[in-house]
Amino acid sequence: MSPSCTPSSSSVPYCIKPLSSMRFTQHLDGRSAGEHSSDRNSEAEQDSFDVLQDIGSPQKSPKVLIIVLSVYVVHLQRSIPRNDVERIISTWGKAGSATQAQATYPTSFSRDVVPIPCHSHNDYWRRIPLYDALAAGCTGVEADVWLDDGKLLVGHSRRSLKESRSLQSLYINPLASILSRQNSVAAPSSGMADCTNGIFDMNPNTTLALLIDIKTDGLASLQEVSKSLEPLRLRQCLTHFDGSRLVSRPITVVVTGNAPFSFITSQDNSSRDIFFDAPLDQLWGEDLPTGVPKYQLENSFYASVSMKDAIGAPWLGVLSPAQVNVLRGQIQAAKQRGLKARYWDTPGWPIGLRNHIWDVLQKEGVGMLNVDELTDASKRDWGNHRLL
């Protein structure tokens, strides 16, 4: 749009009056360009004043009104459907139209979101817990949970706890609502929607790992966690071990922190729906116990360890061959047990180092990438090792 044009309310440009560019040409009387330039500010102010005078002037206002009406007529002409196709498009989904019930795609909640193996670390710290991670395509979220006076509250420390921010309100209820919507067509006449479809419409078989980091007494907290999962359990939305095989469902609950492994193994082996976050550093090495592996598919889902504890710090911003060898061994050991390897406490800065770590982990086949920067993780262009 040129400087002499002003947009109307219909967003169609129209010219009401040439401004300083016209006035400037009227003064080409031989003065230098610099002299003309020095007059532009005062002339522009006078132009604005003249335009306002023109609109309010009895002699000029009819011309302006004609222009405005002309633009409005053009807008009306463009808005009138020329055929049945345009008529359907113009009324689609509107109240009272034949397409009102068809306006929303049933499973459009996560439309165009591609699920990726990233874990939203300290998810409750995000501006919008759970939903920010889902929008990025993350298939894992993490909540630090404290048992406080019978309630499971979510926060990084006790001083950050708030009754309105509970495991139920931030995660359980929203997930139940999302899955009810995603499965509304699967069981339209049922009071409880069957969890055939997961959260991600692009891949409805993808499960979302809900990692619950227990910060208070392990046994008492886990008992309350199990009770809180009932809305998802009733809808058959929880991944479970049925005694012979793992049945994958839209939500997989994993516990860590103060959660005792004995609680997991004490569950009914034919309906276990809470899984353990196994210690990854105990799955590979020279001093492994012989016999049946303690942590396996029927009782665990993640296998995690601090990267710093597992391999130490990268030297000069690059992982050494020895460090990569440890990562490779641990990741493969987790895979052999059907578990997803995950490293926390990975460096987030410099960005080039972070990208290098992510790139190596992805190439080595890590099960889940532990991330704080959701947007950067979802781009998956980590081969570009920026310095900052």
Side-chain angles (χ1 to χ4, degrees):
M1 188 185 298
S2 68
S4 59
C5 292
T6 302
S8 71
S9 59
S10 61
S11 299
V12 179
Y14 65 92
C15 298
I16 60 173
K17 181 180 179 179
L19 297 178
S20 58
S21 58
M22 276 191 63
R23 181 183 296 275
F24 183 68
T25 59
Q26 294 170 0
H27 292 287
L28 294 179
D29 51 6
R31 289 185 294 165
S32 67
E35 290 173 316
H36 288 303
S37 175
S38 65
D39 292 338
R40 288 180 182 175
N41 290 338
S42 60
E43 290 174 355
E45 293 175 359
Q46 183 63 39
D47 287 334
S48 301
F49 179 73
D50 289 348
V51 170
L52 293 175
Q53 278 190 324
D54 289 348
I55 294 175
S57 170
Q59 293 80 14
K60 300 291 183 65
S61 57
K63 295 180 181 179
V64 176
L65 182 60
I66 290 172
I67 294 174
V68 173
L69 289 176
S70 298
V71 173
Y72 183 64
V73 169
V74 171
H75 171 70
L76 287 178
Q77 289 175 339
R78 292 178 178 176
S79 65
I80 297 174
R82 295 173 298 174
N83 50 51
D84 287 345
V85 173
E86 290 188 358
R87 186 173 295 107
I88 292 173
I89 292 173
S90 66
T91 61
W92 183 269
K94 291 184 178 179
S97 70
T99 58
Q100 179 179 352
Q102 304 161 7
T104 304
Y105 189 71
T107 57
S108 63
F109 170 80
S110 58
R111 184 179 62 187
D112 299 331
V113 177
V114 179
I116 57 176
C118 73
H119 173 87
S120 178
H121 177 236
N122 288 343
D123 181 78
Y124 51 88
W125 261 350
R126 305 197 183 281
R127 191 178 73 86
I128 306 178
L130 179 63
Y131 293 99
D132 279 348
L134 296 183
C138 283
T139 52
V141 293
E142 176 182 334
D144 290 358
V145 172
W146 307 71
L147 181 61
D148 186 81
D149 195 23
K151 299 181 180 66
L152 295 170
L153 304 184
V154 176
H156 198 65
S157 61
R158 280 197 176 276
R159 64 178 178 274
S160 66
L161 300 181
K162 190 177 181 182
E163 191 167 341
S164 60
R165 293 175 63 86
S166 66
L167 181 66
Q168 204 78 26
S169 66
L170 292 181
Y171 294 96
I172 305 299
N173 291 344
L175 288 172
S177 176
I178 293 168
L179 290 171
S180 179
R181 174 177 173 178
Q182 294 294 87
N183 291 277
S184 60
V185 176
S189 60
S190 172
M192 292 286 187
D194 175 59
C195 271
T196 302
N197 300 317
I199 290 174
F200 300 99
D201 198 43
M202 295 287 286
N203 190 347
N205 293 324
T206 300
T207 190
L208 176 76
L210 174 59
L211 179 64
I212 300 174
D213 191 344
I214 303 296
K215 297 297 184 182
T216 44
D217 178 72
L219 183 58
S221 299
L222 274 179
Q223 290 172 342
E224 288 301 319
V225 166
S226 183
K227 293 178 185 177
S228 73
L229 295 173
E230 201 62 21
L232 296 172
R233 188 177 288 123
L234 287 174
R235 289 175 168 83
Q236 300 180 12
C237 296
L238 298 178
T239 296
H240 58 278
F241 185 76
D242 67 0
S244 59
R245 66 186 181 95
L246 186 70
V247 181
S248 181
R249 306 299 281 175
I251 307 297
T252 301
V253 178
V254 189
V255 292
T256 187
N258 291 336
F261 183 67
S262 59
F263 177 87
I264 306 300
T265 56
S266 68
Q267 295 181 91
D268 186 347
N269 198 42
S270 63
S271 59
R272 180 180 295 128
D273 57 14
I274 299 177
F275 298 87
F276 198 63
D277 183 16
L280 180 57
D281 56 336
Q282 295 182 25
L283 304 185
W284 182 82
E286 298 179 355
D287 301 324
L288 292 179
T290 58
V292 179
K294 181 178 181 180
Y295 307 106
Q296 48 191 328
L297 188 67
E298 66 183 48
N299 55 47
S300 303
F301 184 79
Y302 277 158
S304 307
V305 69
S306 161
M307 174 166 279
K308 187 179 297 183
D309 292 344
I311 63 171
W315 180 249
L316 296 179
V318 179
L319 293 175
S320 68
Q323 289 174 318
V324 173
N325 185 60
V326 172
L327 295 178
R328 184 178 297 132
Q330 292 178 343
I331 291 171
Q332 291 304 315
K335 282 185 176 182
Q336 290 171 6
R337 292 166 171 78
L339 311 182
K340 296 182 181 296
R342 180 181 69 99
Y343 290 91
W344 50 275
D345 197 22
T346 55
W349 190 89
I351 292 176
L353 174 60
R354 182 204 67 188
N355 287 354
H356 169 63
I357 298 294
W358 286 358
D359 191 42
V360 170
L361 289 175
Q362 182 192 39
K363 289 177 179 177
E364 293 299 329
V366 73
M368 192 72 80
L369 197 66
N370 200 78
V371 302
D372 291 299
E373 304 84 3
L374 297 178
T375 302
D376 290 350
S378 64
K379 291 178 180 177
R380 302 177 75 80
D381 59 350
W382 315 316
N384 180 20
H385 299 158
R386 291 180 293 163
L387 295 177
L388 297 176

